[in-house]
């Protein structure tokens, strides 16, 4: 007990500034309850929330900056912001400016001012993607509150976060590190959307903030509360439409902005000309300022609409190009010569687009809902990997896409840290090294049983190209590959999962299980893996079995392929990756979400069963990763990835999936394995 208390005490003593701020916050809150009858907020607990956030910000800053630097940066930034705000508002108010005069009627300091300064200072020591996200939320929130409230503390809050960022950046120096999202088009798209979101959020805030006196209150003064809320939501919706970047969404955003501008302008004109409102004659300076502000706010959506119309070409999300036959030929040549990994041949499939770097590197990708997913690793030499990743990301940025490197191996995933990107596991590739491969041992009993059964029943392995098969065998392959999965009528998965269309590739070979009567029991297809221009191994793609197939037919076909590869002097075969089967014991939000998706799809697609099946061969597991620029993009990446795998999956299919959730023996599920290579 004493040891536990001492350990917790030692941890607390590492944050003396946080302890001091906590004591001060408790005292200030208690004093406020005793001396103030009317709280500054509609609910007293909101004030306590601001104190709690201040303590959390102090903890974060102290942890990242150290106690002395955190206290110095926070106090200096707060003091500078308060002095600058008081000086500026006082000077402008003496000129008769109404908003400054009103702002000085409210307290200059608030706990959130110090919070903004501490968050700004702490952000300078964060990773790039976290730093950017925190600054957008902190600065954006401060600006939105300033536009809505217009109090002195709101102005001080904006200056405090700016001074905090400057203070926290002292001694860090500049950086020339490349990062995604720094091009002119990306900044333009973010800037247009940010302005619309900030204005929309500030308009909505005026409805709930007490004593609001900011610029955005002109909308409340012009419209009734219901219409004010609708205007704020419409502005935020238009920002999201701009971020979407499609031609139809940009047009819809333009229409929304024009409608909002017309409503605000017409209402403002009616208000100014009304006998009960402001008059065009005998206006005081305050009336003139308010009238100008009223029309400025009313015309802001019109200005945004003009900017959107002028910059629509730059904001428009481009369509993915279709590669030419010459592009495909160059891709095959590059993949053969560069040795691009075990999944490289999937890049040659129809439906993929190709990006070529100046040095000859190639990236195959598929665009789904504005997200460009690569088909595994870039096809290039190892020493050009970093430049290829950056070049493709920049290309996606110019096209209005989010770049995602999907199903990449450790060599590419290790770049995530240097680029400031996030990475998450999305699958496991099962690789079977052929050196010393044998069927002995208890754990490979099922493999020996399958080989012995095939010999007794007269089932032989046939290695051939699809186009070279006899017509009778080819028709059976087509029949097996096109049969409906488990009677569910669910759509076939695509993207990194091949099907019948990919069998006809001249570089793809089939291993068939054929009995004495010429009946095909099972089909597997194998993609070539090259290294330095030489065949290095094979990668499993399609697995299909006939409903009346010999038990263990898949084990027989894979072992037969391994034995043939050994005879040909190859080094390994890959059983390919299992989609949505994260490795390790990570308990992240994404891993839990992935597990939920796997449970939903398991009855129809058998991902877990597939992984257990591959473990029979005692393969070497190699993790597959997904790299993406920012965590905030995950809500967009998830649905886009689902659409890439199952473009036709609809609501009715999800209902069918739910109906399939009944207990089934593993043996029955294993018998339904198909197309998951």
């Amino acid at each position: 007990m004493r040891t536990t208390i001492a350990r917790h005490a030692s941890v607390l003593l590492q944050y003396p500034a946080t302890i001091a701020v906590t004591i001060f916050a408790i005292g200030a809150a208690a004093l406020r309850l005793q001396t103030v009858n009317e709280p500054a907020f509609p609910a007293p607990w909101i004030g306590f929330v601001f104190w709690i956030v201040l303590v959390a910000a102090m903890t974060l800053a102290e942890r990242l900056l150290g106690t002395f630097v955190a206290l110095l940066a926070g106090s200096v930034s707060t003091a500078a912001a308060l002095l600058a705000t008081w000086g500026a508002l006082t000077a402008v108010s003496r000129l008769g400016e109404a908003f400054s005069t009103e702002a000085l009627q409210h307290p200059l300091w608030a706990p959130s001012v110090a919070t903004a300064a501490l968050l700004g200072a702490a952000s300078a020591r964060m990773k790039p993607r976290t730093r950017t996200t925190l600054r957008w939320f902190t600065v954006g929130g401060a600006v939105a509150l300033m536009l809505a409230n217009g109090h002195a503390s709101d102005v001080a809050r904006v200056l405090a976060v700016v001074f905090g960022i400057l203070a926290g950046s002292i001694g860090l120096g500049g950086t020339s590190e490349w990062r995604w999202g720094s091009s002119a088009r990306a900044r333009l798209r973010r800037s247009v959307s940010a302005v619309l979101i900030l204005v929309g959020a500030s308009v909505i805030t005026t409805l709930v903030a007490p004593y609001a006196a900011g610029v955005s209150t002109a909308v409340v003064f012009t419209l009734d509360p219901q219409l004010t809320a609708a205007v704020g939501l419409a502005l935020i919706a238009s920002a999201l439409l701009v971020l979407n970047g499609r031609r139809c969404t940009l047009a819809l955003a333009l229409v929304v902005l024009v409608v909002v501008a017309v409503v605000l302008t017409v209402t403002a004109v009616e208000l100014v000309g009304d006998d009960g409102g402001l008059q065009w004659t005998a206006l005081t300076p305050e009336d003139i300022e308010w009238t100008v502000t009223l029309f400025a706010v009313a015309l802001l959506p019109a200005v945004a609409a003009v900017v959107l119309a002028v910059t629509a070409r730059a904001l428009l999300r481009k369509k993915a190009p279709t590669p030419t036959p010459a592009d495909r030929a160059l891709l095959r040549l590059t993949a053969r010569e560069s040795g691009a990994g075990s999944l490289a041949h999937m890049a040659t499939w129809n439906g993929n687009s190709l990006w070529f770097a100046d040095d000859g590197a190639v990236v195959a990708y598929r665009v789904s809902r504005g997200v460009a997913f690569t088909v595994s690793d870039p096809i290039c030499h190892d020493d050009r990997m970093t430049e290829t990743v950056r070049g493709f990301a920049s290309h996606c940025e110019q096209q209005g896409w989010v770049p995602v490197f999907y199903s990449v191996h450790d060599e590419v995933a290790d770049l995530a840290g240097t680029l400031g990107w996030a990475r998450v596991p999305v699958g496991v590739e099962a690789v079977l090294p052929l050196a010393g491969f044998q069927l002995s041992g208890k754990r490979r009993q099922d493999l020996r049983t399958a080989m012995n059964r095939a010999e007794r029943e007269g089932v032989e392995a046939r290695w051939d190209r699809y186009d070279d098969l006899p017509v009778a065998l080819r028709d059976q392959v087509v029949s097996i590959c096109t049969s409906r999965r488990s009677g569910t009528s669910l759509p076939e998965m695509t993207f990194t999962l091949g099907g019948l269309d990919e069998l006809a590739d001249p570089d793809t070979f089939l291993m068939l299980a054929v009995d004495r009567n010429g009946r095909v029991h099972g089909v597997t297809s194998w993609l070539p893996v090259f290294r330095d221009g030489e065949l290095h191994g094979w990668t499993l793609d399609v697995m299909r079995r006939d409903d009346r197939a010999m038990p263990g037919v898949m084990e027989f076909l894979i072992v037969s392929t391994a034995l043939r590869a050994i005879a040909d002097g190859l080094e390994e075969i890959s059983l390919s990756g299992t989609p949505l089967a994260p490795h390790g014991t990570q308990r992240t939000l994404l891993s839990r979400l992935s597990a939920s998706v796997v449970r939903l799809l398991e009855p129809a697609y058998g991902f877990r069963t597939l992984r257990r099946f591959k473990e029979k061969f005692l393969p070497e597991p190699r993790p597959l990763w997904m790299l993406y620029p920012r965590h905030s993009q995950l809500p967009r990446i998830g649905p886009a990835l689902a659409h890439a795998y199952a473009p036709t999956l609809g609501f009715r299919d999800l209902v069918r999936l739910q109906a399939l959730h009944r207990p089934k023996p593993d043996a029955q599920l294993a018998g339904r394995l198909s197309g998951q290579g």
Side-chain angles (χ1 to χ4, degrees):
M1 181 67 177
R2 292 181 179 179
T3 304
T4 303
I5 295 175
R7 185 170 62 252
H8 288 299
S10 63
V11 172
L12 289 175
L13 291 176
Q14 296 177 5
Y15 301 97
T18 301
I19 296 175
V21 171
T22 303
I23 296 173
F24 176 77
I26 294 173
L31 181 63
R32 183 178 186 83
L33 286 177
Q34 294 178 2
T35 59
V36 179
N37 295 324
E38 183 180 359
F41 300 97
W45 61 267
I46 298 182
F48 292 102
V49 171
F50 282 143
W51 285 110
I52 294 173
V53 174
L54 173 60
V55 172
M58 186 70 251
T59 305
L60 178 64
E62 191 172 8
R63 181 178 181 181
L64 295 176
L65 303 173
T67 301
F68 176 75
V69 176
L71 284 174
L72 182 63
S75 58
V76 171
S77 300
T78 302
L82 294 176
L83 288 174
T85 301
W86 178 81
L89 292 179
T90 301
V92 177
S93 65
R94 289 180 178 177
L95 299 177
E97 201 277 320
F99 286 105
S100 300
T101 303
E102 175 64 26
L104 290 173
Q105 303 302 314
H106 301 275
L108 183 62
W109 186 85
S112 56
V113 177
T115 302
L118 290 170
L119 291 177
S123 68
R125 308 301 173 96
M126 294 179 174
K127 294 181 179 180
R129 62 176 182 271
T130 308
R131 177 174 65 238
T132 302
T133 302
L134 179 61
R135 287 180 176 177
W136 271 103
F137 277 102
T138 306
V139 176
V143 171
L145 287 174
M146 183 184 68
L147 293 176
N149 282 331
H151 299 173
S153 60
D154 297 306
V155 180
R157 191 183 299 112
V158 174
L159 294 179
V161 67
V162 174
F163 290 152
I165 292 173
L166 296 177
S169 302
I170 294 176
L172 295 181
T175 177
S176 59
E177 181 180 316
W178 176 92
R179 61 187 180 90
W180 179 84
S182 58
S183 71
R185 289 194 179 192
R187 288 196 297 267
L188 174 63
R189 186 179 294 106
R190 290 200 305 269
S191 298
V192 172
S193 299
V195 169
L196 293 173
I197 289 176
L198 290 181
V199 175
S202 68
V203 169
I204 295 176
T205 304
T206 58
L207 296 174
V208 295
Y211 318 123
V215 174
S216 297
T217 55
V219 180
V220 179
F221 181 71
T222 306
L223 305 175
D224 58 47
Q226 292 78 11
L227 197 53
T228 299
V231 167
L233 293 175
L235 291 174
I236 295 175
S238 64
L240 299 179
L241 292 172
V242 170
L243 285 176
N244 186 274
R246 291 183 179 180
R247 191 182 303 274
C248 58
T249 59
L250 289 178
L252 182 58
L254 188 62
V255 171
V256 170
L257 291 174
V258 170
V259 170
V260 171
V262 170
V263 171
L264 290 177
T265 304
V266 170
T267 308
V269 170
E270 292 177 350
L271 181 63
V272 170
D274 187 69
D275 293 337
L278 297 174
Q279 302 297 314
W280 289 105
T281 59
L283 292 178
T284 65
E286 291 186 1
D287 293 337
I288 294 175
E289 181 182 356
W290 182 255
T291 304
V292 172
T293 302
L294 187 64
F295 279 99
V297 172
L299 292 175
L300 179 61
V303 174
V306 173
V307 172
L308 181 58
V310 173
T311 61
R313 183 179 295 274
L315 298 175
L316 185 64
R317 182 201 301 172
K318 307 301 188 295
K319 291 184 178 180
T322 302
T324 64
D327 292 336
R328 296 184 181 278
L330 181 58
L331 167 66
R332 288 179 180 270
L333 179 62
T334 305
R336 182 183 293 267
E337 293 180 349
S338 66
S342 56
L343 306 179
H345 194 76
M346 295 179 181
T348 65
W349 292 351
N350 292 328
N352 296 330
S353 298
L354 304 176
W355 173 80
F356 291 90
D358 294 337
D359 59 1
V362 187
V363 176
Y365 62 96
R366 189 167 299 193
V367 177
S368 172
R369 297 185 176 179
V371 180
F373 295 97
T374 67
V375 184
S376 195
D377 306 318
I379 301 176
C380 64
H381 293 287
D382 293 340
D383 58 347
R384 303 297 301 168
M385 189 65 70
T386 301
E387 290 76 9
T388 303
V389 169
R390 292 180 177 180
F392 176 71
S394 298
H395 169 71
C396 292
E397 186 177 282
Q398 295 296 323
Q399 307 305 308
W401 308 325
V402 175
V404 174
F405 288 84
Y406 183 74
S407 284
V408 299
H409 294 85
D410 287 338
E411 295 78 9
V412 183
D414 290 340
L415 296 175
T418 62
L419 298 177
W421 287 26
R423 73 172 182 176
V424 294
V426 292
V428 177
E429 182 183 11
V431 178
L432 190 60
L434 299 179
F437 175 79
Q438 54 186 356
L439 298 179
S440 60
K442 182 178 180 180
R443 298 181 64 184
R444 285 176 170 167
Q445 175 63 46
D446 290 346
L447 307 186
R448 295 194 301 272
T449 300
M451 298 299 291
N452 294 333
R453 181 186 292 273
E455 184 177 359
R456 290 195 308 268
E457 297 187 9
V459 177
E460 297 182 351
R462 180 185 178 112
W463 181 257
D464 213 339
R465 291 186 178 89
Y466 176 80
D467 288 340
D468 295 337
L469 291 174
V471 175
L473 294 183
R474 193 188 308 169
D475 290 343
Q476 292 185 66
V477 169
V478 172
S479 177
I480 293 173
C481 291
T482 56
S483 61
R484 290 186 173 182
R485 183 194 311 275
S486 309
T488 62
S489 301
L490 291 172
E492 194 78 9
M493 299 191 77
T494 59
F495 189 27
T496 60
L497 303 174
L500 180 62
D501 294 339
E502 286 72 36
L503 298 185
D505 188 302
D507 291 331
T508 298
F509 274 79
L510 307 184
M511 182 67 83
L512 308 181
V514 186
D515 63 17
R516 299 187 185 94
N517 299 322
R519 184 167 67 86
V520 177
H521 289 241
V523 181
T524 57
S525 69
W526 298 86
L527 312 178
V529 180
F530 293 98
R531 180 175 296 175
D532 298 326
E534 300 293 333
L535 185 64
H536 175 72
W538 297 98
T539 296
L540 177 64
D541 179 28
V542 171
M543 286 196 296
R544 299 285 194 277
R545 66 188 303 278
D546 186 68
D547 292 337
R548 301 168 297 162
M550 172 194 76
V553 65
M554 288 302 161
E555 290 89 337
F556 165 70
L557 289 173
I558 293 175
V559 171
S560 299
T561 304
L563 297 177
R564 181 181 181 88
I566 293 173
D568 292 339
L570 304 184
E571 298 183 20
E572 64 183 25
I573 64 172
S574 169
L575 304 185
S576 196
T578 304
L580 302 175
H583 71 286
T585 58
Q586 296 189 14
R587 292 294 181 266
T588 62
L589 174 63
L590 188 66
S591 65
R592 291 193 291 268
L593 179 60
S594 177
S596 301
V597 174
V598 168
R599 285 193 295 270
L600 176 64
L601 300 180
E602 178 64 21
Y605 297 106
F607 294 128
R608 288 179 174 177
T609 308
L610 174 62
R611 185 173 181 177
R612 290 197 297 269
F613 168 78
K614 292 179 180 180
E615 289 173 353
K616 295 181 180 181
F617 300 87
L618 305 182
E620 173 186 320
R622 295 180 184 175
L624 297 174
W625 302 88
M626 180 174 71
L627 315 181
Y628 53 96
R630 301 189 185 100
H631 283 303
S632 59
Q633 295 164 332
L634 270 179
R636 181 178 179 183
I637 292 173
L641 180 60
H643 183 262
Y645 268 111
T648 61
L649 187 68
F651 178 76
R652 292 182 179 179
D653 298 316
L654 296 178
V655 174
R656 294 192 190 101
L657 280 172
Q658 290 289 351
L660 289 174
H661 278 265
R662 301 185 182 92
K664 296 181 178 67
D666 287 349
Q668 293 180 9
L669 286 176
R672 298 192 180 101
L673 286 176
S674 61
Q676 306 301 323

